[in-house]
Amino acid sequence: MQEAVVHVHPAGRLLALLGNPNCGKTALFNRLTGSRQKVANYAGVTVERKEGRLTSAAGERLRLLDLPGTYSLHPRSPDERVTRDVLAGQARGEKRPDLLLCVVDASNLRRHLRLVLAAQRQGLPCVLVLNMADVAERRGLQIDPQALSRELGLPVVRSVAVEGQGVAELRALLDDPTTWQVRPHRPDEAEDGARITALLQRLGLDQALPPGRTERIDRWLLHPVFGPIFMAVLMFGMFQAVFAWAEAPMGWIEAAAAWAGGGLGAHLAEGWLRSLLVDGLIAGVGGVLVFLPQILILFAFILVLEESGYLPRAAYLLDRWMGHLGLSGRSFIPLLSSFACAIPGILATRSIANPRDRWVTMALAPLMTCSARLPVYALLIGAFIPQRQLWGFVELQGLVLFALYAAGIASAAAVAWLLKHFTARGQVRTLMMELPEYHWPRLRNLAIGLAQRAGIFIRRVGGIILVMTLVIWLLSSFPAAPADSARPVIEYSLAGQLGLLLAPLFAPIGFNWQIVIALIPGLAAREVAVGALATVYAVSSEGDALAGLIAQQWSLPTALALLAWYVVAPQCLSTLATLKRESGGWALPVGVAGVLFALAYAAAGATYQVARALS
Ligand SMILES: Nc1nc2c(ncn2[C@@H]2O[C@H](COP(=O)(O)OP(=O)(O)OP(=O)(O)O)[C@@H](O)[C@H]2O)c(=O)[nH]1
Ligand SMILES: [Mg+2]
């Protein structure tokens, strides 16, 4: 039988947002469609096409595509290819747009207008969105939208996307039939530069802007000596804050879980139901949920860094250093995103043009310490590292957390360095990266960002973590022990038996069988290991908090070995699946998993043996 591919497009005319990176396309998209796509102050935030719906002023329903930013229609990186394909009508399952909304940064017309001229040559109707008008005006640029409209032969709308200015005018334009007409354009690309210069001259916009706030700040933050010092202090302060600020809210969550467990325990008769609810549900899920405050503090820092415009500066400062590892500053932002989660980090590599750099960056992403590791780190640090201050102002626990993140970065550096020697290096690259204007982060965006992260974490806790924790509870509770058993009850259960069976394999690196049990469901989501430990210990003991129990029962070398394991081990199946999808084959995920598991075993083993020898 033959099958024909039939593309069925949803109803409604199709609009697409086109523009250079970081000109505010996604901010406008969110305002027009009510979506909450990620907006941040650096180039290359959007790497996929996203769809939303909007209504015109008169009530027509239309579809709008948000596209990755691009400097030209001759794509150099995978994300730019996405945009080119949509414009050419070659994107799979999508028709060619009926109208382009060309977004430009009004304070940077000379560069941004090039793409507008290129868009006009596509033979599609265009509207020019003069975004960041607030920034341009603050810097003393007076742009007359009507004059610009006459020069370009396009409708022009002044906009401040983050405040919703210009949105109503755009909606109204969509009801005007002339908006949808293709206008004549000049075909010759070679003349674009001269044309833009002449145009800016005629509009009186060709004077060089005096140095603004951004230049003044950068004199310090990009200073060869002061810049790196500032960056180090900033990162260090971030990890200090994660422990220092989270203490109180963590106490509240712990108290709530203990209260719920105690209350339920008192009302239910001894038996499997009580064990399921108290040991499985409350111990397991509460054990993970307690780390929410720390995760949110970490994300608050990351969001402020993203919105302020500091991130590309950090990339710039690290570029030379990354060059020694065979990478460029381009890899910095994908790697930094991986501190939240490796999956968006791997997606962000689409903005890297060089294929070799791209796959190396993807391979390194799992080594960056994702937020799912934070609960495990925090649990072990809380149990084994005393709460003490060094030199009167440094929290020891925060220092150890900083060291663990640094260890992840150091192992990534080591792998990158090895890869540099074993793979063909790409050609020498100079970092071409825009340094955006600094912005004050908007409180509203920050709150939305944090609420989204909290939502993701709570859904994980209520979903995969809950399910896995209950599975662990089942496996650790059945089959039940005989009435006259001499050994601990849990050793009769399936989980106990499996753990005991696998334990010899992990004995050389200091793991006991309880850890082994916790690591297996940890493959589904790293935090599950914490919930699983909480459940395994709750089943086999009475009521103490997990941190206290493991502090009694594990040796310090065992705890350090587990930390070392967690720094390196590629314990997340969804990351490996993303690696397969983005690299288009099995070689990368299988290679990464193999190498990193071997490294994790070696690192944990070395840590264990050294710590034992020293203690
Ligand atoms: N002051 C000001 N800031 C804006 C405006 N529009 C967007 N921004 C900020 O500019 C930055 C970039 O916005 P995005 O919407 O992520 O830009 P984008 O064009 O989607 O960027 P890519 O996805 O990387 O191509 C963010 O920090 C926004 O908050 C505006 O009109 N005025
Ligand atoms: Mg975007």
Side-chain angles (χ1 to χ4, degrees):
M1 201 172 76
Q2 278 208 328
E3 282 182 53
V5 182
V6 182
H7 290 301
V8 183
H9 302 299
R13 291 196 274 189
L14 183 67
L15 283 67
L17 286 159
L18 177 70
N20 285 26
N22 208 41
C23 64
K25 296 176 295 301
T26 304
L28 186 64
F29 177 83
N30 287 346
R31 284 287 177 164
L32 283 168
T33 62
S35 318
R36 294 213 166 144
Q37 293 299 333
K38 177 165 173 162
V39 169
N41 195 7
Y42 57 86
V45 179
T46 309
V47 292
E48 292 177 291
R49 105 184 112 106
K50 292 274 165 82
E51 184 178 333
R53 304 198 140 263
L54 83 159
T55 26
S56 74
E60 184 190 351
R61 307 267 287 154
L62 305 123
R63 293 192 298 135
L64 178 63
L65 294 182
D66 185 20
L67 295 175
T70 179
Y71 293 102
S72 75
L73 296 180
H74 309 292
R76 284 186 304 188
S77 51
D79 58 340
E80 293 188 347
R81 227 162 282 145
V82 171
T83 301
R84 193 268 321 265
D85 288 349
V86 169
L87 289 202
Q90 288 165 348
R92 235 196 305 156
E94 191 59 90
K95 67 173 181 181
R96 209 168 173 219
D98 300 298
L99 176 71
L100 297 180
L101 300 181
C102 301
V103 185
V104 297
D105 173 351
S107 66
N108 222 331
L109 281 182
R110 183 179 296 278
R111 190 136 39 92
H112 287 221
L113 281 180
R114 272 179 177 271
L115 187 63
V116 178
L117 298 186
Q120 283 183 293
R121 277 193 288 272
Q122 296 294 300
L124 291 170
C126 300
V127 170
L128 183 75
V129 181
L130 200 54
N131 193 39
M132 306 243 183
D134 56 336
V135 179
E137 284 152 23
R138 206 170 46 230
R139 301 196 66 185
L141 279 178
Q142 293 304 329
I143 305 174
D144 177 0
Q146 263 122 42
L148 190 60
S149 169
R150 277 194 302 276
E151 288 282 348
L152 290 167
L154 295 177
V156 174
V157 175
R158 174 194 178 278
S159 117
V160 181
V162 277
E163 278 160 22
Q165 289 181 35
V167 167
E169 201 181 329
L170 265 174
R171 284 214 166 95
L173 255 181
L174 298 178
D175 295 319
D176 180 349
T178 60
T179 304
W180 300 85
Q181 285 167 4
V182 183
R183 291 151 209 266
H185 56 270
R186 296 219 201 136
D188 197 354
E189 187 171 353
E191 283 173 18
D192 283 356
R195 224 187 123 197
I196 292 172
T197 304
L199 183 155
L200 292 178
Q201 256 167 13
R202 282 196 296 277
L203 296 180
L205 296 172
D206 59 336
Q207 74 279 34
L209 289 176
R213 184 177 63 177
T214 294
E215 283 78 1
R216 282 197 302 276
I217 300 176
D218 275 345
R219 234 171 271 155
W220 287 100
L221 296 194
L222 296 183
H223 187 273
V225 178
F226 183 77
I229 294 179
F230 175 82
M231 185 158 76
V233 170
L234 187 72
M235 294 294 150
F236 188 76
M238 181 160 116
F239 294 110
Q240 291 283 305
V242 164
F243 271 92
W245 299 351
E247 213 181 302
M250 284 177 79
W252 305 331
I253 299 178
E254 262 170 9
W259 175 82
L264 262 180
H267 283 91
L268 290 172
E270 174 92 48
W272 69 267
L273 183 65
R274 183 171 109 175
S275 172
L276 170 69
L277 292 177
V278 177
D279 301 338
L281 204 74
I282 295 178
V285 169
V288 185
L289 203 58
V290 67
F291 297 102
L292 179 64
Q294 291 184 324
I295 288 178
L296 290 184
I297 293 170
L298 185 70
F299 273 106
F301 272 93
I302 293 181
L303 287 171
V304 169
L305 290 180
E306 284 182 348
E307 255 306 292
S308 63
Y310 183 69
L311 282 193
R313 268 95 184 168
Y316 170 85
L317 288 173
L318 289 172
D319 183 53
R320 174 118 60 88
W321 187 81
M322 292 182 77
H324 293 306
L325 302 172
L327 288 169
S328 81
R330 275 255 170 256
S331 302
F332 175 78
I333 286 177
L335 292 178
L336 195 106
S337 314
S338 306
F339 279 108
C341 170
I343 293 169
I346 292 166
L347 286 176
T349 64
R350 290 187 183 184
S351 63
I352 300 175
N354 182 296
R356 182 238 170 230
D357 280 12
R358 185 170 176 228
W359 78 256
V360 172
T361 310
M362 288 199 274
L364 298 181
L367 280 169
M368 299 294 117
T369 302
C370 67
S371 58
R373 267 174 262 206
L374 194 56
V376 181
Y377 287 177
L379 172 71
L380 295 179
I381 290 175
F384 287 94
I385 308 296
Q387 213 173 31
R388 226 182 41 216
Q389 285 202 336
L390 301 180
W391 312 292
F393 67 97
V394 178
E395 292 281 346
L396 182 60
Q397 294 187 331
L399 185 67
V400 172
L401 186 67
F402 181 70
L404 287 169
Y405 275 74
I409 296 171
S411 41
V415 172
W417 188 81
L418 284 176
L419 286 173
K420 175 181 158 185
H421 289 267
F422 288 111
T423 66
R425 258 203 81 171
Q427 65 274 39
V428 180
R429 293 150 299 238
T430 43
L431 179 69
M432 294 276 288
M433 211 169 186
E434 274 185 271
L435 298 181
E437 291 272 318
Y438 287 109
H439 295 308
W440 281 111
R442 276 155 214 272
L443 225 61
R444 191 185 117 90
N445 289 351
L446 216 64
I448 292 175
L450 280 183
Q452 276 177 342
R453 295 316 309 193
I456 292 174
F457 182 68
I458 288 170
R459 273 197 300 280
R460 272 169 78 87
V461 169
I464 179 110
I465 293 175
L466 175 67
V467 170
M468 296 308 285
T469 303
L470 292 182
V471 170
I472 287 291
W473 173 83
L474 259 178
L475 293 178
S476 344
S477 304
F478 300 100
D484 55 347
S485 76
R487 292 185 298 143
V489 185
I490 192 168
E491 293 187 13
Y492 292 92
S493 69
L494 272 175
Q497 289 172 26
L498 184 68
L500 289 169
L501 187 75
L502 290 175
L505 195 61
F506 290 90
I509 64 173
F511 292 3
N512 56 32
W513 62 264
Q514 290 94 335
I515 298 179
V516 175
I517 299 179
L519 288 182
I520 299 169
L523 283 171
R526 278 180 235 254
E527 308 96 319
V528 169
V530 171
L533 281 173
T535 300
V536 169
Y537 279 106
V539 168
S540 52
S541 68
E542 276 310 311
D544 282 327
L546 179 61
L549 277 172
I550 62 176
Q552 281 166 22
Q553 301 198 4
W554 297 4
S555 66
L556 180 63
T558 290
L560 295 178
L562 183 57
L563 283 174
W565 171 274
Y566 253 84
V567 167
V568 186
Q571 277 222 71
C572 173
L573 294 177
S574 353
T575 298
L576 296 175
T578 308
L579 278 178
K580 178 189 172 271
R581 199 181 72 214
E582 289 293 306
S583 69
W586 283 104
L588 191 61
V590 170
V592 164
V595 170
L596 293 190
F597 270 128
L599 264 182
Y601 195 89
T607 307
Y608 181 64
Q609 300 300 346
V610 170
R612 257 200 351 175
L614 292 180
S615 60

